[in-house]
Amino acid sequence: MIRSVLVANRGEIARRVFRTCRELGIRTVAVHSDADAEAPFVAEADVAVRLPGNAATDTYLRGDLVIAAALSSGADAIHPGYGFLSENADFARQVAAAGLTWIGPTPESIDAMGSKIRAKELMAAAGVPILDVDPATAKATDFPLLVKASAGGGGRGMRVVERPADLERELAAAKAEAESAFGDGTVFVEPYLPTARHVEVQVMADTHGTIWILGDRDCSIQRRHQKVVEEAPAPGLSDLTREALHTAARNATKAVDYVGAGTVEFLVASVPGQDGGIEQRPFFLEMNTRLQVEHPVTEQVFGLDLVAAQLTVAEGRELGAPPTGPVGHSVEVRLYAEDAADDWSPQTGVLRAFEVPEGVRSDSAVESGSVVSHFYDPMIAKVVAFGDDRHQAIRKLDDALRRTRLHGLVTNRDLLRGVLADEEFVAGRVHTALLPERIAAWTAPVLTTEQRERIVLAAALAQARLASTTSPTLSRIPTAFRNVPSQPRTRRYTVAGEEVEAAYTATVRGLASELAQVVSAEPHRVVLEVDGVTESYDVAIGDDWVDVDGPHGSLDLVPVPTFVDPADVVAEGSLLAPMPASVMSVAVEQGQSVSKGDTIVVLEAMKMQHTIAAPVDGVVTELTATAGQQVESGAVLAVIESEEQA
């Protein structure tokens, strides 16, 4: 019987496992880096053990430190979560050797499926269709190709190659990224099928020969080969295709004597059928020997707890009869701290507010006041909605995202709402290239010009009201009141780098605006009326920020100061760090001539590499970045004087 579980992970998956452990009466142990010392998952554990350092290689990837933490804290089992050491067979062996229970598959199964190359060989032997191309003999007609890391996942070590001339360079780049991310630079190549669907099957098996096939999930909406939206069951599959997927998943599970929770992933491509029509054909991609990020959608349609099932298997007990289902439909979105409109640049800093409304499931790594650092993955939460059917689940999820209070960092929330409103997605016509195709529409502003203007007005009115409350005597008279006003008062803000302005007047009766009738204005709440429709806005005001939540959406506003400190002015031609990051390499020297698009500096943040390129032809007149350096957001990395400036 397992009595105390250490979760060798962080963030939302640690909190997720702790939740089930508490329900089952199991003591919980967290391990944490210095950067995560104040994180919610640490506070929620019964006890916590510090892993000195910040980088994953110094902390969460140090199996020896994790096992030592388990032994010193009295844990008798380790749950690996996902990522980090979850698919490391040597770590699983070390856990068992230390006398601890490993909550996962056997090391032999992890080895068998840990190498995607070996896994494909096993699946081919089991009669499961696979995709494969030998890069040494690839012909022009084989392109485009996809280079993938054999030991990888999450889109790292993956490159799309459109032309034969690019293959060697992209192979080298993928190997380097795979070596950095996984300690294994082995890569392989397969045909790139951009309009195929990414469909996976959840399996659960025990040591008594029981195998549960827990339906399927569609994960086709992806950015940079990383999943963004997942749902169960996968929509639009024929009964024949669904049966083929489930049979292949069962065969894969049996082929490696699998035990525990696992996911068998497939590409489902539309190919010519024998009768001359089009049929859906699944091709094996990989088997993930762990719990998946998207497991909540399966839990909701089957009404079960997959973590509890993992614990049952780890204790050597039987799973019993499989649950009935699926019933209803579930859709999950991943909230990332990133700017989808700016090449997915990760965002870091303090999350001032994070409040998800009731009626949906939220598995989050954060809460209001949490700090999002550059050391780890940018996913901050998963929001999951269940409905009687797919349309109901989509509608509930979009409404929950609209009403979520989320301030302090740029996130992909508007992109997610764009996906959920897209007619192709709603119709279930999804594929892995849909996001790149629709990115312009999905990153377009969610708010209309009029809606945004009213939100900005609410911010200005709340700030004006706050200013007037500083004097008890004049607390009912708005600030800037004049008996004979000559013109409206204005307040300016920046929103996503764009400057906006709100105008209002102050009378003895209160505040007024030509944009809307001001029903009431208080520092934390403003009520406006437009064409007989009343709208309420919740406002939070800080020293250098104003957050507003209204009926149509939210905005983070930064007040524009009347005067600018000359020290804050950045020299023309400066290349700035877009986020806190580590400098991986510097490709130029001071005084060197560069062309537009040339690599200047390569940064690493949130497990992704980011290239800072020359914006113009010119000369590097200043170079402040050095390899290995930690830089803050906005730091000057280099200054390039353009040919026109010269």
Side-chain angles (χ1 to χ4, degrees):
M1 181 182 294
I2 294 173
R3 299 185 182 277
S4 180
V5 170
L6 179 146
V7 177
N9 218 294
R10 62 177 300 278
E12 68 89 12
I13 186 57
R15 299 180 83 186
R16 163 70 190 89
V17 176
F18 290 160
R19 185 167 68 245
T20 292
C21 288
R22 284 194 297 271
E23 291 172 356
L24 297 177
I26 297 174
R27 177 175 173 269
T28 57
V29 181
V31 289
H32 67 88
S33 67
D34 292 334
D36 280 337
E38 303 299 323
F41 78 92
V42 178
E44 290 178 5
D46 289 311
V47 297
V49 180
R50 174 183 174 239
L51 304 178
N54 290 316
T57 51
D58 298 328
T59 54
Y60 300 108
L61 289 173
R62 285 286 302 275
D64 57 333
L65 298 182
V66 172
I67 291 173
L71 296 174
S72 66
S73 64
D76 52 23
I78 290 182
H79 191 299
Y82 53 71
F84 293 137
L85 296 167
S86 63
E87 293 179 282
N88 187 310
D90 288 338
F91 178 62
R93 292 187 182 94
Q94 292 161 8
V95 169
L100 302 167
T101 298
W102 169 250
I103 305 174
T106 65
E108 292 74 24
S109 294
I110 298 175
D111 273 333
M113 289 300 184
S115 165
K116 293 183 176 65
I117 296 174
R118 175 60 179 152
K120 285 193 171 191
E121 294 171 350
L122 288 171
M123 294 304 100
V128 179
I130 65 170
L131 294 167
D132 198 25
V133 172
D134 183 350
T137 59
K139 303 182 294 293
T141 53
D142 294 327
F143 288 78
L145 299 175
L146 187 63
V147 181
K148 300 175 70 175
S150 180
R156 290 176 290 279
M158 190 178 292
R159 295 285 192 281
V160 175
V161 187
E162 301 284 353
R163 306 177 304 159
D166 299 332
L167 182 57
E168 185 175 349
R169 183 184 71 249
E170 296 296 347
L171 279 170
K175 289 178 180 178
E177 190 170 62
E179 180 67 37
S180 173
F182 313 112
D184 183 348
T186 306
V187 299
F188 64 97
V189 177
E190 62 187 25
Y192 179 52
L193 305 176
T195 58
R197 293 176 59 181
H198 188 133
V199 181
E200 59 192 30
V201 179
Q202 176 72 57
V203 302
M204 177 69 71
D206 63 22
T207 56
H208 303 273
T210 302
I211 297 176
W212 289 355
I213 302 298
L214 298 170
D216 39 72
R217 303 185 285 249
D218 190 286
C219 310
S220 298
I221 305 300
Q222 303 177 4
R223 60 98 169 99
R224 288 182 170 177
H225 311 293
Q226 290 184 310
K227 302 164 188 173
V228 177
V229 181
E230 300 107 342
E231 57 181 309
L237 294 182
S238 66
D239 291 341
L240 189 63
T241 301
R242 209 178 297 274
E243 182 180 352
L245 285 165
H246 296 182
T247 299
R250 185 177 294 275
N251 290 341
T253 304
K254 290 181 177 179
V256 292
D257 296 323
Y258 196 79
V259 171
T263 301
V264 189
E265 302 197 351
F266 300 88
L267 276 183
V268 177
S270 297
V271 298
Q274 294 180 350
D275 59 357
I278 300 297
E279 65 180 41
Q280 298 170 320
R281 185 175 300 171
F283 296 94
F284 174 81
L285 277 178
E286 61 181 317
M287 183 174 187
N288 288 300
T289 53
R290 54 173 168 80
L291 200 64
Q292 290 277 81
V293 176
E294 58 272 21
H295 75 274
V297 294
T298 296
E299 291 184 323
Q300 291 198 322
V301 297
F302 279 92
L304 82 163
D305 184 328
L306 286 171
V307 174
Q310 285 185 296
L311 292 164
T312 294
V313 172
E315 290 181 325
R317 295 183 285 130
E318 295 186 42
L319 286 170
T324 58
V327 176
H329 202 90
S330 180
V331 184
E332 169 184 295
V333 293
R334 303 189 190 188
L335 271 172
Y336 285 102
E338 65 184 12
D339 189 348
D342 185 22
D343 196 29
W344 313 103
S345 60
Q347 307 293 301
T348 59
V350 177
L351 196 62
R352 293 192 294 269
F354 180 71
E355 299 173 11
V356 179
E358 294 183 355
V360 295
R361 171 174 170 174
S362 174
D363 288 8
S364 69
V366 299
E367 57 190 19
S368 296
S370 291
V371 175
V372 178
S373 77
H374 71 279
F375 293 105
Y376 314 112
D377 189 271
M379 190 179 77
I380 58 175
K382 303 176 303 193
V383 183
V384 196
F386 174 80
D388 294 334
D389 56 38
R390 186 169 184 266
H391 287 86
Q392 187 183 95
I394 291 172
R395 184 170 57 205
K396 287 176 64 176
L397 184 54
D398 179 63
D399 181 64
L401 289 175
R402 177 182 65 84
R403 293 189 293 121
T404 294
R405 290 194 65 238
L406 181 58
H407 295 286
L409 296 176
V410 175
T411 70
N412 66 334
R413 173 172 53 178
D414 287 354
L415 168 82
L416 298 174
R417 294 196 63 199
V419 174
L420 297 175
D422 187 89
E423 60 183 15
E424 290 294 297
F425 178 81
V426 172
R429 294 188 292 266
V430 295
H431 54 79
T432 56
L434 188 59
L435 189 151
E437 288 179 4
R438 311 285 282 188
I439 187 65
W442 292 352
T443 54
V446 172
L447 297 167
T448 65
T449 301
E450 293 76 15
Q451 290 168 347
R452 189 173 77 160
E453 286 177 344
R454 294 200 290 275
I455 289 179
V456 176
L457 175 62
L461 296 174
Q463 278 200 293
R465 192 72 189 89
L466 178 64
S468 70
T469 61
T470 57
S471 170
T473 304
L474 303 176
S475 62
R476 303 309 305 170
I477 301 177
T479 184
F481 168 72
R482 298 290 185 275
N483 283 328
V484 186
S486 61
Q487 58 186 344
R489 303 293 298 174
T490 61
R491 289 181 183 268
R492 292 181 298 138
Y493 305 90
T494 56
V495 179
E498 180 183 351
E499 192 167 301
V500 294
E501 184 178 86
Y504 62 93
T505 56
T507 70
V508 73
R509 291 192 178 92
L511 298 168
S513 171
E514 294 183 357
L515 192 63
Q517 180 180 342
V518 182
V519 178
S520 63
E522 297 298 334
H524 300 296
R525 188 171 179 83
V526 173
V527 180
L528 305 176
E529 183 180 312
V530 180
D531 297 329
V533 178
T534 301
E535 299 177 347
S536 299
Y537 297 84
D538 293 319
V539 185
I541 301 173
D543 291 338
D544 56 358
W545 52 267
V546 181
D547 297 335
V548 184
D549 294 280
H552 307 291
S554 308
L555 282 181
D556 291 13
L557 301 101
V558 178
V560 175
T562 304
F563 302 103
V564 179
D565 188 336
D568 293 335
V569 178
V570 178
E572 184 179 356
S574 297
L575 302 185
L576 308 180
M579 77 293 286
S582 301
V583 178
M584 298 297 293
S585 62
V586 179
V588 296
E589 297 178 353
Q590 189 165 325
Q592 180 177 331
S593 296
V594 295
S595 300
K596 180 179 180 180
D598 285 353
T599 296
I600 305 300
V601 176
V602 177
L603 304 177
E604 184 175 74
M606 292 181 169
K607 300 197 291 186
M608 299 293 287
Q609 291 189 1
H610 307 270
T611 299
I612 307 300
V616 294
D617 296 343
V619 176
V620 180
T621 58
E622 185 177 341
L623 187 63
T624 58
T626 57
Q629 178 186 9
Q630 298 287 323
V631 294
E632 294 300 319
S633 177
V636 176
L637 304 172
V639 177
I640 296 179
E641 184 178 288
S642 68
E643 292 181 350
E644 294 178 354
Q645 288 176 299

